[in-house]
Amino acid sequence: MRATVLVRPKPGILDPQGEAVLGSLKQLGFAVDDARVGRVVDLELENGDREQARAELERMCEQLLANPLIESYEIELAEDE
Amino acid sequence: MSTTAPKPRVAVVTFPGSNDDRDAALALARLGAEPVPVWHADRELPEVRAVVLPGGFSYGDYLRAGALARFAPVMESVRAFAADGGLVLGICNGFQVLCEAGLLPGALRPNHSLSFVCRDVLLRVERTDTAFTARCAKRQRLSIPVKHGEGCFFAGPELLSELEASGQIVLRYEGESPNGSVAGIAGVVNAEGNVMGLMPHPEHAVDALSGSTDGALLLGSLVDAVRQIESAQPAAA
């Protein structure tokens, strides 16, 4: 089963990378108010059970993929074929 | 105690990507300790009285600085050692590892400037009653270099006031912080006081040739503390 984990800096956490991207976009002439830069992790899971997979992904996020103190995460499971 | 007491043994852990392990070992040796190199894949710690996690870029800083090193086999032993009251010092990347491992509070984020900073900074000693700062005077200013891209210490408002109230902030940057750390925090200890992390590199400031010897006050404090432990409970071996 394919899954995608999106990791974002939590609101209120200063994101210097996002600020640099924002500055560059403005320089290019784009009308942008805010930019935040996170991380995408694409995974191929052995587990075929959606609920189990989701629980496992939660644990992956808590233990490694995100630092809960400063990052939020969102799990997307691919639709069944 | 006999005057020929063996030198206090301090482990220096090398992760793949550590690059200040040798400087840390050299500095400890100059301060009278016997540095004991430990490889990240070792499951057991040798017989030591303190552990230093050195600076560098363990596991390439992939994911987040320190995030992968905390799963190194040796870290389980370091965790047990710390839980037992053992002295653990994390310098720069070592500090990041300790935060990611949950052995120290807070997190280290990319510098506000997004630039890697590499220069001497002035630090203010906030506490001198720790195993890592006992040689310092209260509010003493230390000149010690930093060199990092992700040294911005973050703690939310609640955690920050907790740290302030419990006196866990041991070192602060004097004047403007080089990385945007909250409350100018440069080094913290855990609540028990036996685990400390700091972004500046005391091991790079032990020889007048490099401009300052203030780093010797911090590492020397650690060596003193280890000696005290040894005289209180000599090694069985």
Side-chain angles (χ1 to χ4, degrees):
Chain A
M1 189 183 309
R2 291 165 62 82
T4 298
V5 172
L6 302 164
V7 182
R8 297 186 170 92
K10 278 189 175 169
I13 299 267
L14 187 97
D15 173 25
Q17 233 183 316
E19 291 204 348
V21 168
L22 177 66
S24 298
L25 287 173
K26 281 182 171 167
Q27 222 165 18
L28 287 169
F30 291 106
V32 188
D33 270 341
D34 195 16
R36 311 275 290 169
V37 175
R39 191 185 306 123
V40 172
V41 186
D42 284 321
L43 297 155
E44 188 74 51
L45 304 178
E46 287 179 16
N47 206 322
D49 182 279
R50 293 182 71 82
E51 250 173 56
Q52 277 180 20
R54 187 168 284 279
E56 211 160 79
L57 285 159
E58 290 274 349
R59 292 210 307 279
M60 289 182 202
C61 289
E62 293 290 332
Q63 287 176 27
L64 177 64
L65 299 181
N67 180 337
L69 191 67
I70 48 174
E71 294 169 326
S72 64
Y73 59 85
E74 204 177 300
I75 294 166
E76 292 177 356
L77 275 180
E79 292 302 315
D80 288 325
E81 305 281 299
Chain B
M1 285 298 292
S2 101
T3 49
T4 55
K7 291 179 177 176
R9 287 160 58 86
V10 179
V12 178
V13 179
T14 299
F15 299 99
S18 296
N19 59 14
D20 294 322
D21 41 346
R22 290 185 187 204
D23 275 28
L26 193 72
L28 287 165
R30 287 178 66 152
L31 290 162
E34 182 191 341
V36 183
V38 174
W39 182 232
H40 74 113
D42 295 348
R43 294 206 167 267
E44 305 275 322
L45 280 174
E47 182 69 26
V48 291
R49 297 296 194 183
V51 175
V52 171
L53 303 186
F57 301 85
S58 58
Y59 300 90
D61 270 359
Y62 293 156
L63 200 59
R64 297 176 305 276
L68 299 180
R70 93 174 132 122
F71 295 107
V74 74
M75 283 305 292
E76 249 176 78
S77 298
V78 172
R79 189 183 291 276
F81 182 79
D84 236 23
L87 296 171
V88 179
L89 176 65
I91 301 168
C92 194
N93 189 227
F95 185 13
Q96 296 162 337
V97 173
L98 291 173
C99 285
E100 281 284 342
L103 291 173
L104 284 176
L108 292 147
R109 301 262 306 138
N111 297 346
H112 275 198
S113 63
L114 269 189
S115 300
F116 191 94
V117 284
C118 182
R119 60 179 167 87
D120 290 335
V121 294
L122 268 186
L123 303 169
R124 193 171 68 238
V125 181
E126 300 281 31
R127 268 183 70 182
T128 55
D129 60 340
T130 78
F132 311 94
T133 52
R135 279 197 194 184
C136 305
K138 183 99 189 194
R139 304 196 78 73
Q140 183 172 357
R141 287 178 173 77
L142 308 177
S143 173
I144 294 180
V146 292
K147 45 168 189 138
H148 59 248
E150 304 193 20
C152 171
F153 184 83
F154 173 81
E158 263 178 51
L159 178 58
L160 181 62
S161 48
E162 212 181 292
L163 295 178
E164 296 273 14
S166 56
Q168 284 177 252
I169 300 161
V170 176
L171 297 170
R172 283 187 223 259
Y173 299 108
E174 182 80 16
E176 203 186 332
S177 106
N179 48 36
S181 285
V182 65
I185 293 172
V188 296
V189 283
N190 64 347
E192 294 75 20
N194 64 310
V195 179
M196 175 165 172
L198 77 168
M199 285 313 295
H201 288 266
E203 78 281 19
H204 295 332
V206 294
D207 191 316
L209 189 65
S210 57
S212 165
T213 55
D214 290 348
L217 293 172
L218 301 178
L219 292 174
S221 299
L222 176 62
V223 174
D224 290 347
V226 171
R227 278 216 184 90
Q228 278 169 22
I229 297 170
E230 296 216 316
S231 57
Q233 38 170 188

